[in-house]
Amino acid sequence: MTNIDELFKKPRVPGNKRKQPPTQNPEEIYKVAKHAANGDAKGGEHLNGDAQDEEDGSAGPQLPPEDDEIDDEEGRFFSSGITQDTKNALDYMDGEDDEDLSPEKYDVAWLRKTSQKFKKTIAVNAELRAKHEEDPQQFMASEGDLDAEIKALSILTDHTDLYIEFAKMGCVKSLVSLLSHDNTDISIQSVQVLSELTDEDVQAGEDDWNAIVDSMLDADLPDLIAQNFERLDESNEADRNGVYHLLSLVENLSSKSSVLETLLEESSLLKWLLGRIQTKETSVSQNKQYSAEVLSIILQSAEKCKTLALDLDFVEVALQLLSRYRKHDPHKDTEEEEYAENLFDGLSCLVETSSGKHKLLEAEGVELCLIMIREGKFSKPRALRLLDHATSDRGGAEVCEKVVEVGGLSTLFGLFMKQKDQTTTEHVLGILASMFRSLSGNSASRIRVLAKFMEKDYQKLRKLISHRREYTTKLDRVEAQMQEVRQQAKDVSQEDLDSERLFRRLDAGLFSYQTIDVILAWLIAEDGGARAKVTELLRDRDENVADIQSTLREQLKGLANDRGEREADDIDMLQTLIDLV
């Protein structure tokens, strides 16, 4: 066993490792205590004692005495240094810390507890506000607590299975009620949480989502949204963020048409949105762009929304806002570009209705579209798409007449002869097909359209056949690809194979191919010279008029299960063309 003397005589070896300050040795504590008790910690007796120790051949501190020689009732020496009571207290605190570290369980019991605390915090804040109305300092702390409780509800987005219970407990109504809170910061925070709860990224079940939204509507959410749009001041950053969250909430609710219709009928929301997109700004802000986007979404979601927008003259307003883009092009990937895109989208939805087409004619929208097609860059393809929607279906005859009347045929056929872009070609073909379908048989406008195809030795007709050949090549390539897919994918169902074939054919230009054959069928039916020229051009590729009939029958077959008004008109038209060809 190592001699204690050797421990004190050996020098310490220096090292590089960082060390904590050395703790005091219990033997040294004992030595100091003993010296203090004998009164010879200092002075000559100490030195003499040291000399005597050296003569005895011993060095260093004396060994501690036996246990029975020390009066240590509390166990402070040669032990942990704490009493039993202190040790028990520390053990208790360690146990509490362990409980705090355990994960919280989010279930109905937790929700009930959270709900009670949330409602109590609302009540306390309301009471303090009423009691100290003239002294905000008295209720500021309670509003901080309320803000924290509102934010804490965001955790529910990770536990959508609790949505129904959350609604049943009345928490949704309580949260919606806070939109009328005098402190707009509280209102904004409430809107943000409502937006998070209904966001599509949360992926709540339909029943869960409906439970939340129904409770919102029952709590007069539509009016509260409209009121907050009116009272928030966007010159203030916090309020500007609040408007953004309100728009986000409206967008979320637009995913269900019945909810959207209720939202619009019971508030002035649509009127506010229409006003917001007209607000003059140095550059298009995020909220102005978002307002246009929400409007576009609304107009695509429900027919009733279109009627409400038409009553508020959205067509005329949108055309006025878009008129600056006749020659001006917004910078790419900016808020302004998306803003203008959303206005075009909204207009395209509205002009599909008969009332929308009439509004477009009244506001001279056809003329504006043709100017954009001739002179615009950004606006050209969007104006062309708008005109395609406006000339289609029932009610499109007046728009077609106007296009011919204002010299639009030259613009459209010029684009048709030069443009190779598939989307542009598709829209031009759509407009021409609508003209053959809508313009009356002996009208001057229809004769002018036919004359365009016959002029310059059927130059436009040759171009039409050229486009048909291009699409035929693409579609034949798809059929070859699908033949390989069928051979390799033996375990794939026929239904899946048919869906894949249709998708690939559409991507290759099936719609344009079918539209071309509809136009060719009209030309063959109405003019003998056109029939002869079509037959001649088709013969170059070992094709004939029967191939056009086959395309028409395929379209007819695709409409067999659809019996709406539009489908019924299409079926009648296709059957008539098959008989005439």
Side-chain angles (χ1 to χ4, degrees):
M1 184 174 183
T2 304
N3 192 304
I4 194 170
D5 296 336
E6 294 298 319
L7 293 173
F8 283 90
K9 289 180 181 179
K10 288 182 181 179
R12 294 184 180 180
V13 180
N16 294 327
K17 185 177 180 181
R18 184 181 295 274
K19 298 180 180 179
Q20 293 181 336
T23 55
Q24 199 169 5
N25 193 298
E27 294 178 354
E28 294 177 355
I29 298 174
Y30 169 74
K31 183 176 178 181
V32 172
K34 185 174 181 181
H35 281 191
N38 295 334
D40 58 354
K42 296 180 182 180
E45 291 182 13
H46 173 72
L47 295 176
N48 292 338
D50 290 342
Q52 184 67 35
D53 289 339
E54 289 179 4
E55 293 175 1
D56 293 340
S58 63
Q62 298 182 23
L63 292 172
E66 299 296 331
D67 291 344
D68 56 358
E69 295 181 10
I70 301 177
D71 183 12
D72 188 18
E73 295 178 356
E74 298 181 355
R76 286 190 299 270
F77 300 116
F78 315 108
S79 65
S80 61
I82 60 174
T83 65
Q84 186 63 39
D85 290 342
T86 304
K87 185 175 183 301
N88 293 339
L90 290 174
D91 289 342
Y92 174 77
M93 292 175 66
D94 288 341
E96 289 291 308
D97 290 341
D98 290 341
E99 291 180 6
D100 291 341
L101 292 175
S102 61
E104 188 163 13
K105 186 177 182 181
Y106 296 98
D107 53 13
V108 176
W110 168 85
L111 183 61
R112 189 175 294 109
K113 179 180 177 182
T114 302
S115 172
Q116 291 172 352
K117 186 179 180 183
F118 175 52
K119 292 179 179 179
K120 182 178 180 181
T121 306
I122 294 175
V124 169
N125 175 249
E127 182 179 349
L128 290 175
R129 267 189 164 273
K131 187 176 180 181
H132 303 286
E133 186 176 356
E134 303 299 328
D135 187 6
Q137 294 293 334
Q138 298 295 326
F139 54 77
M140 282 182 64
S142 69
E143 281 181 14
D145 294 338
L146 180 56
D147 184 70
E149 289 300 318
I150 296 170
K151 290 178 180 177
L153 296 176
S154 294
I155 192 65
L156 284 169
T157 58
D158 295 327
H159 306 279
T160 56
D161 56 303
L162 296 175
Y163 273 19
I164 295 177
E165 287 298 323
F166 185 64
K168 286 181 179 179
M169 291 177 185
C171 290
V172 176
K173 292 183 178 180
S174 297
L175 189 58
V176 172
S177 70
L178 291 176
L179 268 66
S180 61
H181 199 281
D182 291 337
N183 185 345
T184 55
D185 290 337
I186 296 294
S187 300
I188 292 169
Q189 189 59 56
S190 301
V191 169
Q192 183 174 354
V193 172
L194 289 171
S195 177
E196 291 172 359
L197 293 174
T198 54
D199 194 283
E200 62 178 3
D201 292 337
V202 174
Q203 297 181 342
E206 184 177 358
D207 292 339
D208 299 321
W209 192 87
N210 287 339
I212 290 283
V213 173
D214 289 344
S215 292
M216 289 182 186
L217 297 178
D218 290 342
D220 297 327
L221 179 67
D223 285 337
L224 290 171
I225 287 178
Q227 290 171 19
N228 275 272
F229 272 131
E230 294 293 343
R231 74 167 175 162
L232 293 178
D233 180 8
E234 290 190 65
S235 62
N236 176 281
E237 184 177 0
D239 284 13
R240 190 160 56 248
N241 291 334
V243 170
Y244 180 88
H245 292 309
L246 283 167
L247 290 169
S248 176
L249 178 57
V250 173
E251 181 184 4
N252 296 344
L253 298 177
S254 299
S255 62
K256 191 172 182 179
S257 58
S258 59
V259 173
L260 179 60
E261 289 177 3
T262 301
L263 190 65
L264 296 178
E265 285 178 353
E266 298 181 7
S267 72
S268 57
L269 171 61
L270 199 60
K271 186 177 181 180
W272 183 89
L273 289 171
L274 200 59
R276 184 64 184 86
I277 64 173
Q278 299 178 71
T279 304
K280 292 184 178 180
E281 298 176 343
T282 305
S283 59
V284 177
S285 65
Q286 183 184 44
N287 283 349
K288 183 175 182 178
Q289 178 275 316
Y290 201 3
S291 297
E293 181 179 345
V294 170
L295 260 175
S296 174
I297 292 171
I298 286 174
L299 295 176
Q300 296 175 55
S301 300
E303 290 298 318
K304 188 174 289 187
C305 300
K306 294 179 182 180
T307 302
L308 293 171
L310 288 170
D311 290 342
L312 293 172
D313 292 327
F314 176 82
V315 172
E316 183 175 356
V317 169
L319 287 172
Q320 289 176 353
L321 294 172
L322 288 171
S323 62
R324 72 184 300 263
Y325 299 107
R326 288 174 295 181
K327 295 182 179 181
H328 169 73
D329 296 325
H331 293 295
K332 194 170 180 61
D333 298 326
T334 60
E335 302 285 0
E336 183 181 8
E337 183 186 45
E338 196 168 349
Y339 164 78
E341 185 76 61
N342 288 321
L343 290 179
F344 273 114
D345 289 345
L347 266 178
S348 296
C349 289
L350 286 183
V351 298
E352 289 180 343
T353 66
S354 297
S355 298
K357 298 178 195 297
H358 183 67
K359 292 279 187 181
L360 183 73
L361 290 169
E362 284 185 340
E364 299 182 351
V366 171
E367 292 88 336
L368 178 61
C369 284
L370 291 171
I371 291 173
M372 287 179 170
I373 293 170
R374 286 193 295 265
E375 301 177 2
K377 183 178 179 182
F378 164 82
S379 59
K380 177 183 290 185
R382 293 158 181 84
L384 186 62
R385 181 187 58 176
L386 177 60
L387 207 56
D388 186 11
H389 284 269
T391 55
S392 64
D393 303 330
R394 292 184 176 184
E398 289 184 68
V399 181
C400 291
E401 288 278 2
K402 177 60 71 172
V403 171
V404 176
E405 179 186 324
V406 297
L409 289 180
S410 297
T411 301
L412 292 174
F413 276 104
L415 201 60
F416 174 68
M417 296 298 291
K418 297 177 183 178
Q419 189 60 249
K420 294 184 178 181
D421 175 64
Q422 182 172 316
T423 302
T424 300
T425 301
E426 180 180 315
H427 289 309
V428 173
L429 291 172
I431 295 170
L432 294 176
S434 294
M435 287 182 173
F436 277 112
R437 175 175 177 168
S438 301
L439 295 174
S440 57
N442 296 319
S443 67
S445 296
R446 190 180 189 87
I447 294 172
R448 288 175 65 181
V449 174
L450 284 168
K452 276 291 182 182
F453 279 99
M454 297 172 191
E455 67 183 15
K456 298 181 181 179
D457 191 24
Y458 296 98
Q459 182 187 44
K460 311 303 191 294
L461 182 54
R462 293 174 185 273
K463 183 67 174 179
L464 196 61
I465 294 293
S466 174
H467 278 301
R468 186 180 191 277
R469 289 172 179 171
E470 292 175 4
Y471 288 118
T472 299
T473 301
K474 292 179 181 179
L475 292 170
D476 288 344
R477 192 179 300 127
V478 168
E479 294 300 332
Q481 292 171 351
M482 286 306 302
Q483 187 64 30
E484 293 181 7
V485 170
R486 289 189 182 92
Q487 292 174 355
Q488 297 173 3
K490 297 180 180 180
D491 296 333
V492 180
S493 67
Q494 186 60 44
E495 183 179 354
D496 290 340
L497 287 172
D498 290 342
S499 297
E500 178 64 19
R501 176 175 178 266
L502 177 60
F503 174 78
R504 294 192 183 193
R505 295 184 76 206
L506 287 171
D507 192 49
L510 175 63
F511 180 76
S512 294
Y513 176 78
Q514 292 176 336
T515 305
I516 288 173
D517 277 5
V518 167
I519 296 173
L520 289 173
W522 280 114
L523 290 169
I524 291 171
E526 297 198 28
D527 184 75
R531 176 185 285 272
K533 180 57 68 173
V534 170
T535 303
E536 175 190 335
L537 294 172
L538 288 176
R539 193 182 300 121
D540 293 340
R541 294 282 293 265
D542 294 326
E543 295 177 313
N544 53 48
V545 175
D547 293 307
I548 295 176
Q549 287 180 315
S550 177
T551 303
L552 299 179
R553 288 193 181 95
E554 183 183 10
Q555 294 183 61
L556 194 60
K557 182 179 178 182
L559 295 171
N561 297 324
D562 298 319
R563 293 297 178 182
E565 287 187 1
R566 177 176 179 177
E567 289 74 22
D569 289 345
D570 288 341
I571 290 171
D572 290 342
M573 178 196 72
L574 290 170
Q575 189 60 62
T576 300
L577 286 175
I578 291 171
D579 295 339
L580 291 173
V581 171

